[in-house]
Structures are given as structure tokens and as C-alpha cells.
Amino acid sequence: MKAKHLIFLGPPGTGKGTQAQLLNDKFGWAAMSSGDILRAEVKAESKIGLAAHEYMRTGALVPDDIITGVILAGLERVAAGRGWILDGFPRTVPQAEALAAGLAKWKLPIDGVIYFNLPDATIIERIVTRRVCKECATTYNVRFSPPKAGDRCDRCGGAVIQREDDREEVIVKRLSTYRTQTAPLIEYYERQGLLRSVDASLAPATVHAAALELLARLDASA
Ligand code: AP5
């Protein structure tokens, strides 16, 4: 498979991070989760983290200039020729425009935007049962994929916890934020002929297989 530059788009809790990790495991493409990057900044109590925390805690988007600067700086550090997946960025049209401008400067294409399609009821169920490692951000689910050792991470042994924005009242706000500010990107990328959709309700391995099929088709049509 040729290295790809991908965007994962979709509501919270639809499995974007899970699938980005599977592609990272398989191909070594950099999986850049804007949420994980911001949570690391919050944990470090950096200037960015302090500015972002209140927005994240309440299910709002952090301001465009903050997240755009962080992601473009991260992309600049990815080795030339390596694939990458942007998980959770862009989330607004101005972010998408800033990304396009940055990539144009570096003469890098976006190969595809994968849209994760899942009904709200399933989204809420998956998020309230999600747990994450406090140290390495590996994602678990108490119903579908719990850590083997109870509340310790299989990868690094760190504590496995519930995210502070994974409470039902914040999830409802995150879904509404998604609808008003992020959903317009579906049409934005559709117009550019980049949008592909996966049925995110299927098992992780089945969604992964569907994503691989999509990517193979991108290679065939290139
Ligand atoms: P972020 O961390 O990006 O949260 P999100 O987009 O809301 O996405 P999630 O991490 O909730 O879900 P996911 O789709 O990755 O699903 P996952 O694989 O974990 O953002 C958090 C906050 O940061 C935002 O609210 C905002 O404040 C800020 N932020 C981030 N980016 C920003 C930006 N660009 N601009 C402004 N602000 C920004 O899966 C969910 C659960 O389901 C897990 O338990 C998993 O194990 C399970 N699961 C996954 N796939 C399956 C499956 N196929 N079947 C069954 N269970 C599954």
C-alpha cells in the first residue's frame, strides 16, 4: 500500500481513533489525534493546555488558531514520504482552509477523507463505555474491548480511566457542536471529490477491512 495522507471525519465516538491506530500498527503511518495532542498539553499544564482545557471539558471546540498551529507544526515534523492520518482535525471550515494552505506550501496532497457514519444512540453508548490509558492514550471499551488487567493498560501498564468529557451531558453538547461546526466539512470535502464513507457500526476488524478496501481503490484510481 502506498503511504497515504488521510483525514478521518465524523462525530465523536465513531471509532476514528481506533481505526487510525490500526492503520498505524499495520503501515506505520503517523496517527495524529488532535484530541490526544490537546489532552497531553492539558496534562503538561502548558500554555496551550491551559487555554484549551475549559473548551474541552465542556464539549466546545478550542479556538481555530490554537489547534491549527499545533497540527501544522506536528505535520511539519512527520518525515517526508511517511503516511499520516489526521484524526479529529480539521473540525471547522477555517481549519480545513488553513490545512489546505499549509499543505499547498509543502506540495502535499490529501489522498482521501474518510467519513465515519454511526447513529447517535450507538455513539452515546460507545462513549460512555470508553476508557483510555492516562499515560499512552490507548483506547478501551468496558463492553467491547476491556483491558486484560482490569484498570491497567495492556500496552504500558498505565492507569485506565474515563475521560472527563465522556459524561453523557457533555457528549450531548459535543454532538451538537459537531452538527453545527464540523458537519459542513462533509459537503466541503465532497465537493473536492475526496470524501469516502465507512459504516462505523460494524466490528472494528470489519471497519478496518472496509477502510483498506477504500484505500486500495484510491491506489487503483490514481
Ligand atoms: P477528540 O479527542 O478528538 O474527541 P472526538 O472527536 O469527540 O472523538 P473521540 O475521541 O470521542 O472518538 P473516536 O471517533 O476517536 O472514537 P474511538 O476510537 O475512541 O476531541 C476532544 C475535544 O478536544 C473536543 O471536544 C474539542 O474540545 C477538542 N478538539 C479536538 N480537536 C479539535 C479541533 N480540530 N478543533 C477544535 N477543538 C478540538 O471509539 C470510541 C469507543 O468505541 C471506544 O471505547 C472504542 O473502543 C469503541 N469502538 C471503536 N470502534 C468500535 C467498533 N467498531 N465497535 C464497537 N466499539 C468500538
Side-chain angles (χ1 to χ4, degrees):
M1 174 82 62
K2 266 169 50 186
K4 300 276 181 306
H5 301 150
L6 303 172
I7 292 170
F8 281 4
L9 176 67
T14 46
K16 303 181 298 295
T18 301
Q19 295 301 323
Q21 187 57 52
L22 290 173
L23 288 180
N24 170 273
D25 292 344
K26 191 171 177 70
F27 299 121
W29 300 344
M32 295 181 60
S33 154
S34 51
D36 284 349
I37 292 169
L38 288 169
R39 278 184 288 279
E41 297 284 350
V42 170
K43 193 173 165 202
E45 296 184 6
S46 68
K47 204 172 151 201
I48 288 172
L50 291 173
H53 191 195
E54 189 57 18
Y55 298 101
M56 298 173 74
R57 205 179 60 75
T58 55
L61 293 184
V62 308
D64 287 337
D65 56 333
I66 295 181
I67 187 65
T68 299
V70 173
I71 295 292
L72 290 181
L75 278 180
E76 211 165 3
R77 287 194 294 271
V78 178
R82 187 179 175 201
W84 44 252
I85 305 145
L86 292 178
D87 157 20
F89 181 92
R91 251 170 156 105
T92 64
V93 171
Q95 288 180 22
E97 287 167 346
L99 174 67
L103 295 178
K105 205 168 67 192
W106 302 323
K107 298 193 169 39
L108 289 179
I110 295 169
D111 296 303
V113 177
I114 301 189
Y115 172 64
F116 286 67
N117 199 1
L118 192 67
D120 282 5
T122 315
I123 288 176
I124 292 172
E125 188 198 0
R126 282 190 190 175
I127 297 184
V128 293
T129 51
R130 171 170 53 193
R131 300 292 181 272
V132 292
C133 173
K134 210 175 160 187
E135 304 306 325
C136 71
T138 297
T139 299
Y140 298 94
N141 189 286
V142 290
R143 285 194 56 200
F144 308 112
S145 53
K148 292 190 188 78
D151 55 1
R152 290 279 144 191
C153 177
D154 297 347
R155 282 184 194 235
C156 77
V160 172
I161 56 154
Q162 183 166 35
R163 270 170 46 179
E164 66 177 338
D165 60 346
D166 278 356
R167 287 170 293 120
E168 193 156 347
E169 63 276 19
V170 187
I171 300 168
V172 170
K173 169 74 165 80
R174 284 162 64 197
L175 280 171
S176 125
T177 302
Y178 169 80
R179 275 192 209 99
T180 52
Q181 299 190 63
T182 306
L185 288 178
I186 297 173
E187 201 192 320
Y188 177 90
Y189 284 120
E190 208 159 32
R191 276 203 308 269
Q192 297 179 25
L194 288 170
L195 197 83
R196 306 287 183 276
S197 189
V198 288
D199 178 355
S201 70
L202 304 170
T206 313
V207 178
H208 178 60
L212 290 179
E213 231 176 81
L214 274 179
L215 298 179
R217 264 185 262 141
L218 287 181
D219 275 344
S221 65

